[in-house]
Amino acid sequence: SAVISQKPSRDICQRGTSLTIQCQVDSQVTMMFWYRQQPGQSLTLIATANQGSEATYESGFVIDKFPISRPNLTFSTLTVSNMSPEDSSIYLCSADDTYGYTFGSGTRLTVV
Amino acid sequence: GEDVEQSLFLSVREGDSSVINCTYTDSSSTYLYWYKQEPGAGLQLLTYIFSNMDMKQDQRLTVLLNKKDKHLSLRIADTQTGDSAIYFCAESRTNAGKSTFGDGTTLTVKP
């Protein structure tokens, strides 16, 4: 199955700044997904990223706040813009696999 | 919309069997998954089952599906301390399409 390298693994950021999270897949994948996971909670889908098209955002998430790039079939980035403490969370990328998803190891973001 | 529910906590003794339960609401769910998340890590796909199956066994893992009741369970035989993690149930209508995840069951295995 595919393997995803996600970085950074964690970061502490000042409010008002932006952080870009990168995910590199070791094989070509059609669909990539970005999730947010609050501590002790389930995963909330932020957006779906397909190569060559704009990302599709879920209700409650907007492109200005979470711009996503998908320049090729093995790479994607998520930017958390103009951060506030409410953005403190774990952010996970995933990609479609033979069955189900493969996930990156997550980025633990703390906004102070 | 679709909903997936799980009990939040389960504690078992090492060597016992663990059974984690999940219910879902979407009658169009075709693919049902179990993922494991260890501390500080992403989710790892453990196993999956198609909606036209009743059971799937993979080494120590047994998945049972009651499609009529929309109930899914994961049984871990001979549970080990290394099985301590959060287990997520998920469903989707299409393979590798959008999935809905449950809130996760935290399994604690006591020596």
Side-chain angles (χ1 to χ4, degrees):
Chain A
S1 58
V3 175
I4 300 178
S5 298
Q6 182 173 346
K7 59 181 182 181
S9 58
R10 59 178 63 231
D11 207 341
I12 301 172
C13 300
Q14 297 290 325
R15 66 175 67 203
T17 64
S18 298
L19 175 72
T20 295
I21 303 167
Q22 300 181 2
C23 278
Q24 177 75 53
V25 192
D26 68 348
S27 60
Q28 293 185 343
V29 292
T30 304
M31 302 175 76
M32 292 187 73
F33 305 87
W34 287 95
Y35 288 88
R36 184 169 69 186
Q37 184 181 25
Q38 304 283 11
Q41 295 188 20
S42 189
L43 284 73
T44 301
L45 181 64
I46 297 171
T48 303
N50 291 332
Q51 191 261 341
S53 62
E54 282 203 4
T56 303
Y57 288 82
E58 297 298 305
S59 176
F61 297 97
V62 294
I63 188 171
D64 289 345
K65 175 68 175 176
F66 297 100
I68 287 171
S69 77
R70 182 81 200 276
N72 56 52
L73 291 174
T74 63
F75 188 77
S76 181
T77 67
L78 169 76
T79 299
V80 187
S81 302
N82 188 24
M83 287 184 285
S84 66
E86 291 71 36
D87 294 320
S88 297
S89 189
I90 298 170
Y91 292 84
L92 292 156
C93 66
S94 70
D96 60 305
D97 209 335
T98 307
Y99 290 105
Y101 298 136
T102 294
F103 281 82
S105 54
T107 297
R108 185 178 293 272
L109 171 62
T110 302
V111 184
V112 297
Chain B
E2 300 84 2
D3 193 22
V4 178
E5 294 192 354
Q6 304 175 235
S7 53
L8 294 182
F9 301 99
L10 177 65
S11 180
V12 301
R13 291 272 177 205
E14 190 173 20
D16 289 349
S17 292
S18 307
V19 179
I20 303 171
N21 294 300
C22 169
T23 58
Y24 59 96
T25 58
D26 187 0
S27 57
S28 298
S29 296
T30 305
Y31 299 85
L32 297 136
Y33 309 97
W34 284 103
Y35 290 87
K36 176 183 181 182
Q37 185 179 34
E38 299 186 59
L43 276 68
Q44 172 198 359
L45 179 65
L46 282 178
T47 188
Y48 61 90
I49 190 168
F50 302 124
S51 61
N52 61 356
M53 298 167 65
D54 298 324
M55 185 183 86
K56 181 178 181 181
Q57 187 153 1
D58 184 1
Q59 299 182 342
R60 291 191 297 123
L61 305 178
T62 303
V63 179
L64 295 178
L65 174 62
N66 182 328
K67 192 175 179 182
K68 173 176 169 290
D69 294 339
K70 300 189 187 67
H71 182 267
L72 184 72
S73 68
L74 174 69
R75 178 177 180 269
I76 305 172
D78 186 25
T79 313
Q80 303 297 306
T81 55
D83 294 324
S84 293
I86 303 174
Y87 291 80
F88 290 93
C89 170
E91 63 81 30
S92 69
R93 293 185 178 185
T94 61
N95 183 34
K98 278 172 33 174
S99 284
T100 301
F101 287 81
D103 287 341
T105 299
T106 299
L107 174 64
T108 302
V109 182
K110 299 179 180 178

